[in-house]
């Protein structure tokens, strides 16, 4: 199949050919002919990296009326990064079309400037939900004549709590001819939105929904909790050309690890909720243009980030939620490239691997944490490759050769190589001279997964009611707290953990097991800091609701 065969405007074909697109991707092949009609509702279930942006971007440009200078299409997406990315791609696609303008509107930057730009008569508005609602309420954007609404990464938007906003937008576009919804997964909430606001949508699935990308190699390293940081360092050192994202559960971890690694000479920065928009832009800009090799981020801060060419995603810890794992690993292995997703785990987490494998239909490979020698060897060969591939054709090096030859007259070639290696590897060799084995030995994975499975069963006592016998570390050191927040509040386990730790300024090490239900959760926490957590959360507001937190066993009688 070719782009010509799909029936899109010749000017768009010229642009895509220039971008190097030869054949349409699967989602493009199935979406474009339907969307060109402009009147059929469409649901595309596809992961990011499958060419979704062109799948809706090309037909949008095809159906837009360039002569009419008002908003005709609305693309709603979860984050500012994605918003900018979409606009960037649409700009490339419309290179040979005149009279069509596209505008990104998103939170965290001047609304005044965006209002001014809207007045210039744009036809395609790409927006994040929050800012769009803001603009609607200020009457800065007129949705009366919107004919096409595209919801991109709909599941992420719902995960982020934008359901009401999405419905508001759909309700306020009365002249909508068609709605195009793209999502990686199909949770019931999206089904509900589609039933309520879409008419006989044509549904297309590319690959298997919820299936992890096949171009990703899922690997894990087993170590002890106290060796996690050292293992991370070793993984980075073992992959000298790495361009990767490291995920942590809390912003405190992201910050701590980033600071520690920076002090030790690594090229890394952190992305978390405390940064101002300006700081965030700076970090993202550096990472995108590869002047930063590593980015460490929390899930919330990294939402919607789409950077090409990521070689590795590293889970500093496994997330509790399989979906979070899928989102994280999906940052690599995109657009036909191979990617590696590494998880550092300790014995207690091993049972989660099976769960992820089952739901994601993928397989984990256990690797040995490289020894100090392995790291040095790898670094050495990497350096030698770099040395050999260094371009010497441009400089006037010949001029210096006689001088250099004279200077090195008494030094053998072997010696020169040794000296170069010593200069480059001194740090590594010294550091790794007596490096310890970080692997958790003698505990085969099978053994571990079974053991933790059993332990979980016995903890619950088979009641399955969330009231467990709290036994971590002997049990007596822990208090169980009740809180009236749950999954219905839009939390995943990872984001919930991050939330309570951020609020209380505590480290995750103080926590034991967390049980989340729809409306309530139970948190196991070290006795000594239980009151600190209660003080930090009880009585505070979350999305307009008063948080109630108390000792679960005394019912709040303190
Ligand atoms: P997306 O899923 O929209 O984020 O696209 C992933 C990447 O694939 C982007 O870098 C696109 O430029 C690229 N891409 C999209 N469609 C094609 C195509 N038909 N051929 C080659 N590359 C494509």
């Amino acid at each position: 199949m070719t782009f010509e065969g799909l029936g899109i405007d010749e000017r768009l074909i010229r642009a895509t050919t220039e971008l190097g697109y030869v054949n349409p991707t699967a989602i493009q092949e199935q979406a474009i002919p339907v969307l060109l009609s402009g009147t059929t509702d469409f649901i595309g279930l596809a992961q990011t990296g499958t060419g979704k942006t062109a799948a809706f971007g090309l037909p949008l440009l095809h159906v837009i009326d360039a002569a009419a200078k008002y908003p005709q299409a609305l693309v709603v997406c979860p984050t500012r990064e994605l918003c900018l990315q979409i606009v960037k791609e649409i700009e490339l696609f419309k290179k040979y079309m005149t009279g069509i303008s596209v505008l990104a509107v998103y939170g965290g930057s001047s609304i005044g400037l965006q209002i001014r730009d809207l007045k210039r008569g744009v036809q395609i508005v790409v927006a994040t939900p929050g800012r769009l609602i803001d603009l609607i309420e200020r009457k800065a954007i007129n949705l009366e004549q919107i004919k096409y609404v595209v919801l991109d990464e709909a599941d992420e938007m719902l995960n982020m709590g934008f359901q009401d906003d999405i419905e508001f937008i759909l309700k306020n576009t009365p002249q909508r001819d068609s709605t195009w919804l793209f999502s990686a997964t199909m949770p019931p909430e999206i089904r509900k939105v589609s039933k309520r606001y879409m008419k006989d949508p044509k549904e297309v699935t590319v690959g298997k929904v919820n299936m992890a990308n096949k171009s990703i190699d899922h690997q894990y390293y087993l170590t002890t909790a106290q060796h996690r940081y050292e293992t991370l360092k070793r993984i980075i050192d073992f992959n000298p050309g790495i361009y990767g994202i490291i995920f942590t559960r809390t912003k405190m971890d992201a910050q701590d690890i980033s600071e520690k690694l920076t002090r030790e000479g690594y090229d890394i920065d952190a992305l978390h909720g405390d940064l101002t928009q300006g700081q965030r832009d700076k970090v993202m800009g550096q990472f995108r243009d590869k002047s930063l090799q590593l980015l460490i981020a929390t899930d919330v801060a990294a939402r919607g980030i789409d950077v090409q060419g990521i070689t590795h995603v590293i889970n500093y810890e496994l997330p509790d939620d399989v979906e979070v794992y899928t989102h994280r690993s999906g940052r690599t292995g995109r657009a036909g490239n191979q990617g590696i997703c590494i998880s550092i785990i300790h014995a207690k987490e091993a049972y989660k691997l099976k769960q992820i494998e089952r739901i994601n239909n993928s397989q984990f490979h256990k690797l040995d944490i490289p020894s100090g020698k392995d790291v040095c060897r790898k670094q050495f060969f990497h350096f030698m490759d770099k040395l050999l591939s260094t371009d010497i054709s441009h400089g006037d090096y010949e001029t210096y050769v006689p001088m250099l030859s004279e200077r090195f007259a008494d030094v053998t070639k072997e010696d020169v190589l040794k000296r170069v290696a010593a200069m480059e590897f001194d740090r590594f060799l010294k550091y790794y001279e007596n490096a310890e084995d970080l692997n958790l030995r003698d505990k085969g994975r099978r053994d571990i997964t079974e053991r933790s499975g059993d332990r979980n069963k016995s903890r619950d006592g088979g009641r399955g009611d969330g009231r467990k016998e709290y036994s971590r570390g002997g049990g007596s050191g822990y208090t169980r707290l009740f809180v009236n927040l749950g999954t219905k509040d839009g939390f995943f386990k990872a984001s919930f953990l991050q939330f309570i730790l951020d609020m209380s300024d505590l480290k995750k090490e103080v926590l034991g097991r967390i049980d989340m239900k729809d409306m309530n959760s139970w948190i196991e926490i070290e006795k000594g800091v239980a009151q600190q957590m209660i003080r930090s959360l009880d009585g505070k507001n979350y999305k307009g609701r008063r948080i109630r937190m108390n000792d679960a066993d005394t019912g709040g009688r303190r």
Side-chain angles (χ1 to χ4, degrees):
M1 182 57 88
T2 59
F3 281 100
E4 281 90 348
L6 296 178
I8 54 170
D9 191 296
E10 174 275 326
R11 292 166 297 178
L12 293 169
I13 294 175
R14 239 191 301 158
T16 46
T17 308
E18 257 180 40
L19 288 172
Y21 296 7
V22 181
N23 302 108
T25 64
I27 186 74
Q28 291 161 2
E29 205 175 304
Q30 302 197 62
I32 292 174
V34 180
L35 301 183
L36 285 180
S37 76
T39 51
T40 311
D41 282 352
F42 179 84
I43 296 178
L45 295 174
Q47 307 264 354
T48 35
T50 51
K52 268 183 315 131
T53 319
F56 65 77
L58 296 171
L60 258 195
L61 289 166
H62 185 105
V63 295
I64 288 293
D65 178 2
K69 305 291 180 195
Y70 49 75
Q72 299 162 44
L74 204 52
V75 180
V76 192
C77 64
T79 65
R80 168 181 190 281
E81 270 81 17
L82 190 56
C83 202
L84 290 168
Q85 185 91 15
I86 293 171
V87 168
K88 203 167 113 198
E89 285 205 39
I90 294 183
E91 293 280 1
L92 291 172
F93 300 150
K94 74 178 185 69
K95 182 173 173 191
Y96 295 106
M97 297 182 127
T98 46
I100 299 185
S101 51
V102 45
L103 176 70
V105 296
Y106 45 82
S109 88
S110 158
I111 196 165
L113 289 180
Q114 290 174 0
I115 292 174
R116 198 194 61 196
D117 287 341
L118 275 168
K119 287 196 179 125
R120 292 200 181 136
V122 296
Q123 291 100 338
I124 303 176
V125 178
V126 184
T128 52
R131 176 54 58 98
L132 183 60
I133 301 283
D134 215 353
L135 290 166
I136 295 171
E137 282 171 353
R138 289 171 189 235
K139 302 207 181 328
I141 181 167
N142 179 6
L143 302 188
E144 287 298 314
Q145 303 186 74
I146 292 284
K147 289 167 84 175
Y148 316 101
V149 172
V150 183
L151 303 174
D152 192 20
E153 302 208 350
D155 50 354
E156 289 248 8
M157 290 199 279
L158 297 197
N159 280 348
M160 291 166 81
F162 288 137
Q163 173 141 12
D164 292 346
D165 298 345
I166 301 291
E167 294 201 24
F168 182 86
I169 291 161
L170 291 171
K171 271 185 210 147
N172 284 282
T173 40
Q175 299 297 324
R176 195 159 24 99
D177 280 344
S178 55
T179 312
W180 311 349
L181 184 152
F182 289 83
S183 186
T185 57
M186 190 44 140
E189 293 82 2
I190 295 204
R191 193 53 78 203
K192 239 187 311 186
V193 168
S194 75
K195 282 225 166 76
R196 204 172 288 168
Y197 299 98
M198 296 170 80
K199 208 170 130 263
D200 300 329
K202 164 124 178 83
E203 190 167 319
V204 161
T205 303
V206 169
K208 213 164 154 193
V209 181
N210 230 351
M211 194 181 72
N213 201 326
K214 280 281 187 259
S215 52
I216 301 171
D217 186 9
H218 301 271
Q219 309 176 342
Y220 75 98
Y221 292 96
L222 197 58
T223 189
T224 55
Q226 83 261 26
H227 282 143
R228 219 185 267 278
Y229 175 74
E230 198 54 36
T231 302
L232 171 66
K233 255 172 65 171
R234 212 169 279 188
I235 293 169
I236 298 171
D237 288 342
F238 191 65
N239 291 284
I242 190 171
Y243 176 50
I245 305 188
I246 302 160
F247 282 97
T248 59
R249 290 191 190 198
T250 67
K251 67 178 177 203
M252 243 187 299
D253 269 351
Q255 224 162 348
D256 285 354
I257 297 168
S258 161
E259 280 167 16
K260 259 162 100 179
L261 286 173
T262 305
R263 271 199 301 275
E264 296 191 60
Y266 292 84
D267 191 14
I268 187 166
D269 212 335
L271 203 62
H272 53 75
D274 277 357
L275 302 185
T276 62
Q277 195 61 49
Q279 290 168 319
R280 198 183 146 86
D281 286 348
K282 191 165 157 237
V283 175
M284 275 316 295
Q286 287 173 335
F287 186 58
R288 236 183 260 285
D289 66 25
K290 299 199 176 174
S291 50
L292 198 62
Q293 197 179 7
L294 293 163
L295 188 70
I296 185 161
T298 56
D299 292 296
V300 175
R303 279 243 159 89
I305 288 180
D306 181 29
V307 177
Q308 300 297 313
I310 303 265
T311 59
H312 292 73
V313 165
I314 301 178
N315 294 308
Y316 189 65
E317 285 162 290
L318 267 186
D320 287 321
D321 238 288
V322 179
E323 227 168 286
V324 174
Y325 181 91
T326 313
H327 283 149
R328 288 182 179 184
S329 59
R331 312 287 171 182
T332 184
R334 301 163 72 100
N337 296 319
Q338 279 301 118
I340 294 174
C341 182
I342 293 175
S343 300
I344 305 174
I345 68 165
H346 66 85
K348 257 181 61 187
E349 296 170 306
Y351 72 96
K352 287 187 202 158
L353 294 175
K354 273 224 161 101
Q355 209 183 347
I356 296 174
E357 282 187 337
R358 201 184 58 242
I359 299 178
N360 261 357
N361 194 16
S362 56
Q363 227 195 333
F364 277 98
H365 302 116
K366 180 174 184 296
L367 297 183
D368 268 358
I369 303 170
S371 66
K373 272 213 174 76
D374 293 336
V375 172
C376 292
R377 201 176 305 125
K378 189 78 176 276
Q379 287 280 348
F380 192 78
F381 282 113
H382 179 74
F383 176 72
M384 288 306 159
D385 281 348
K386 231 167 66 182
L387 193 72
L388 283 173
S389 59
T390 301
D391 184 6
I392 49 172
S393 61
H394 297 303
D396 183 20
Y397 302 109
E398 292 304 323
T399 321
Y400 303 99
V401 170
M403 225 159 56
L404 286 171
S405 301
E406 199 182 323
R407 187 88 177 77
F408 284 85
D410 298 331
V411 193
T412 63
K413 183 177 165 189
E414 282 72 28
D415 262 356
V416 172
L417 286 177
K418 275 189 212 158
R419 277 162 216 266
V420 171
M423 257 167 61
E424 189 68 17
F425 291 109
D426 204 37
R427 177 172 84 95
F428 277 106
L429 292 175
K430 278 213 181 85
Y431 186 81
Y432 281 114
E433 206 166 51
N434 295 310
E436 61 180 318
D437 181 5
L438 301 174
N439 289 287
L440 189 63
R441 297 281 178 197
D442 302 317
K443 287 186 174 112
R445 173 172 167 214
R446 171 167 250 272
D447 180 33
I448 288 156
T449 43
E450 279 166 9
R451 229 168 19 99
S452 8
D454 287 342
R455 194 185 47 200
N456 277 346
K457 243 183 266 159
S458 65
R459 263 193 189 180
D460 196 335
R463 290 192 303 270
D465 60 359
R467 286 181 287 126
K468 310 215 162 51
E469 282 137 32
Y470 288 85
S471 56
R472 199 183 94 159
S476 56
Y478 283 87
T479 298
R480 202 162 53 109
L481 302 181
F482 162 89
V483 64
N484 62 342
L485 293 173
T487 51
K488 278 263 157 53
D489 293 294
F491 282 116
F492 283 122
K493 249 194 192 159
S495 52
F496 181 66
L497 194 83
Q498 185 169 349
F499 174 73
I500 59 174
L501 291 174
D502 287 349
M503 290 283 285
S504 59
D505 227 18
L506 288 167
K507 288 237 175 216
K508 67 172 182 315
E509 283 76 20
V510 303
L511 296 179
R513 198 184 162 87
I514 293 187
D515 276 305
M516 296 193 75
K517 302 278 171 236
D518 288 353
M519 312 291 288
N520 306 312
S521 303
W522 285 265
I523 302 155
E524 201 184 19
I525 185 168
E526 278 176 13
K527 276 204 168 100
V529 290
Q531 284 307 322
Q532 180 177 339
M533 174 149 295
I534 294 176
R535 270 197 309 275
S536 316
L537 277 109
D538 190 39
K540 302 277 158 54
N541 268 314
Y542 181 74
K543 290 188 178 165
R545 204 151 67 78
R546 190 167 176 272
I547 302 176
R548 187 160 63 80
M549 179 181 261
N550 55 257
D551 186 319
D553 300 313
T554 63
R557 295 181 303 278
R558 313 206 264 274

